[in-house]
Amino acid sequence: MLYRTEFELNWKVPLLFNNDRLAILLLEISKKLGVKFPFSTVYGSPNNVLSGGRSSIIKKEMSESELIKYFNAYKSFGVDCALTLSRRNISNVELKDGYLNRLLSILNLFSGSVIVSNDFVLDYIKNKYKNLKVCASVIKPIYDNVQSSDTKYYISLLKKYDRIVPRPEIFFEDNYLELLPFADYVDVLVNQTCLYDCKFACDHYKHYERIEEGYDDGFIAPCQREKQFLSSINEIVSMDYMLIKQLENYGFRNYKLQGRNLPIHKILQYLGAYIYEPTGKFRFIESYILNKRFDDPVNIDDIVIE
C-alpha cells in the first residue's frame, strides 16, 4: 500500500493564501488514490492589518467573490479554513478595518476559525462573528511571558478560547499529561523551526511586526546565527514518529505543521514525513508535483511508482 486510505489524525497545514494550488493538487491526487482527508484544515492569511508580519504571496485586497471561491474550493474536499491573525499590537481603529472585516465576515459564512494572540482581538471576533471558532496562537504564551511548560496557563486559556496551540516544548516534559482532559481542544505543533525554549522568540515576532509596519531594524537573534551551525536536529523542536504515536495513544489527535513561508519542496518534505505513510513512496508524488504545471489536470497514470 502506498499510504493510508484513511487518516486517524487531524492535521492543520500552512497552505492557505500561500500555496493553495499545491494544497488543491494534493487533495485531488489523494482523492483519486482513495486517500481521505490527508489534512483537515488549511491556515494562513493574505496581507492585512492583523497578519503579523508573515508575508503572503497575495498582496492585494481580495474581493468577496474571490474569498468565496477560495473557501469553496477547500469546502468541496471537506477541508476547513483558518485565518492566522497573530499581530499583537492592534488598535480599536485597526480592528474596524474594512478589509479585515471582509475576511472575517466571509469566513464566518463558512463557519471557519481564526488564530490570534491578543485577547482584545478575541473579544472583538467573539462578539461580532458568532460562527467563528477562535484559537490561541502558539505565540500568545511567548508574548505573555509564561514558561513553555505552564499547563495551568494553557488550561486557563480554554476558558476563553475554543482551541489552543501550546509551545511544543511542553510535550517533551512529563507534565503535558495534565492537558489530557482537554486533548480535543489542543493542537500539537510538531515542527517549530527554532531552538528548544528559545529565549529570543518574543524578539523574533516583534521584528516580524515591525517589518509589516514598514520598519526593518535588521534584527538577527543569536539563536538564528547559531542555527546555521547546528549539527543535531535535537536542538530544534521537531517531533519524531515515536513521540507523535505516544501522544496519539494518549488521546491527542490534532496536529499542526509550521512553514507558511517555506519553499514548496520543503513543505512537501514535511507533508510526506509527517502526514503521508512513511513508506518512502511519497517521493514519487513529490517529483510529479515539482515537475508539472499547477494548472494542468491531475493524471494519476503519470505518477510512476517503483
Side-chain angles (χ1 to χ4, degrees):
M1 182 178 294
L2 176 58
Y3 26 48
R4 304 181 186 100
T5 55
E6 292 190 16
F7 290 82
E8 300 83 6
L9 305 180
N10 299 312
W11 284 93
K12 295 176 173 61
V13 297
L15 302 177
L16 182 63
F17 298 124
N18 247 353
N19 281 294
D20 298 282
R21 289 180 176 179
L22 171 62
I24 297 301
L25 181 59
L26 277 171
L27 289 167
E28 289 178 348
I29 292 173
S30 298
K31 184 177 181 180
K32 291 193 175 186
L33 290 172
V35 179
K36 299 179 182 178
F37 305 117
F39 42 87
S40 59
T41 304
V42 289
Y43 71 90
S45 179
N47 281 14
N48 66 86
V49 296
L50 272 185
S51 53
R54 295 299 181 93
S55 180
S56 168
I57 63 171
I58 299 178
K59 310 296 184 185
K60 67 177 184 66
E61 290 191 7
M62 302 177 70
S63 66
E64 290 187 2
S65 61
E66 287 175 321
L67 290 168
I68 290 171
K69 182 179 180 180
Y70 269 72
F71 296 147
N72 264 330
Y74 288 109
K75 182 180 179 181
S76 68
F77 289 97
V79 173
D80 296 325
C81 294
L83 280 175
T84 304
L85 304 174
S86 56
R87 183 179 170 193
R88 182 73 167 196
N89 296 319
I90 185 75
S91 68
N92 188 53
V93 172
E94 288 171 310
L95 268 183
K96 296 178 181 178
D97 176 77
Y99 182 45
L100 170 64
N101 284 275
R102 183 191 308 164
L103 292 169
L104 292 170
S105 63
I106 299 301
L107 186 61
N108 189 62
L109 297 176
F110 289 82
S111 299
S113 57
V114 182
I115 305 165
V116 307
S117 65
N118 188 316
D119 291 347
F120 181 43
V121 178
L122 163 73
D123 293 338
Y124 178 81
I125 293 173
K126 283 287 190 181
N127 289 331
K128 189 167 184 179
Y129 299 101
K130 303 301 184 182
N131 294 333
L132 294 180
K133 299 293 184 183
V134 185
C135 176
S137 170
V138 69
I139 72 172
K140 180 170 174 56
I142 295 173
Y143 275 119
D144 289 348
N145 195 28
V146 301
Q147 294 293 319
S148 59
S149 58
D150 188 342
T151 53
K152 291 182 180 179
Y153 168 80
Y154 294 122
I155 293 170
S156 71
L157 288 180
L158 285 169
K159 295 178 181 178
K160 300 179 289 185
Y161 290 83
D162 299 297
R163 308 194 63 79
I164 59 172
V165 186
R167 293 283 300 275
E169 289 89 342
I170 193 174
F171 296 103
F172 294 85
E173 308 288 340
D174 290 339
N175 67 332
Y176 79 82
L177 294 174
E178 296 175 23
L179 295 177
L180 274 179
F182 313 96
D184 288 345
Y185 311 103
V186 173
D187 294 335
V188 179
L189 181 62
V190 302
N191 68 327
Q192 179 173 281
T193 53
C194 196
L195 300 182
Y196 190 93
D197 203 17
C198 177
K199 300 300 185 294
F200 303 95
C202 189
D203 295 322
H204 294 166
Y205 290 108
K206 288 180 179 178
H207 173 62
Y208 294 145
E209 290 199 6
R210 287 193 291 269
I211 291 177
E212 185 178 42
E213 294 166 359
Y215 173 64
D216 186 354
D217 55 8
F219 171 80
I220 301 178
C223 66
Q224 293 294 309
R225 293 194 292 269
E226 185 179 348
K227 278 172 63 178
Q228 298 175 20
F229 304 101
L230 288 178
S231 59
S232 171
I233 197 170
N234 293 327
E235 297 190 57
I236 63 174
V237 183
S238 182
M239 296 186 185
D240 60 20
Y241 173 78
M242 294 303 295
L243 177 55
I244 293 175
K245 193 64 180 177
Q246 175 182 313
L247 294 174
E248 179 185 354
N249 290 338
Y250 274 126
F252 292 94
R253 313 193 71 80
N254 301 290
Y255 294 83
K256 182 177 180 178
L257 283 172
Q258 264 191 355
R260 276 190 285 161
N261 298 106
L262 292 176
I264 287 177
H265 74 276
K266 189 64 176 178
I267 293 175
L268 284 169
Q269 288 177 17
Y270 279 134
L271 293 171
Y274 282 108
I275 299 180
Y276 287 81
E277 190 72 17
T279 60
K281 300 295 187 181
F282 184 75
R283 68 182 187 276
F284 297 104
I285 305 291
E286 179 182 8
S287 176
Y288 171 74
I289 290 174
L290 292 176
N291 288 286
K292 78 180 297 297
R293 288 166 51 91
F294 280 125
D295 52 354
D296 289 340
V298 174
N299 185 352
I300 297 301
D301 293 333
D302 289 340
I303 304 176
V304 180
I305 299 175
E306 299 173 355

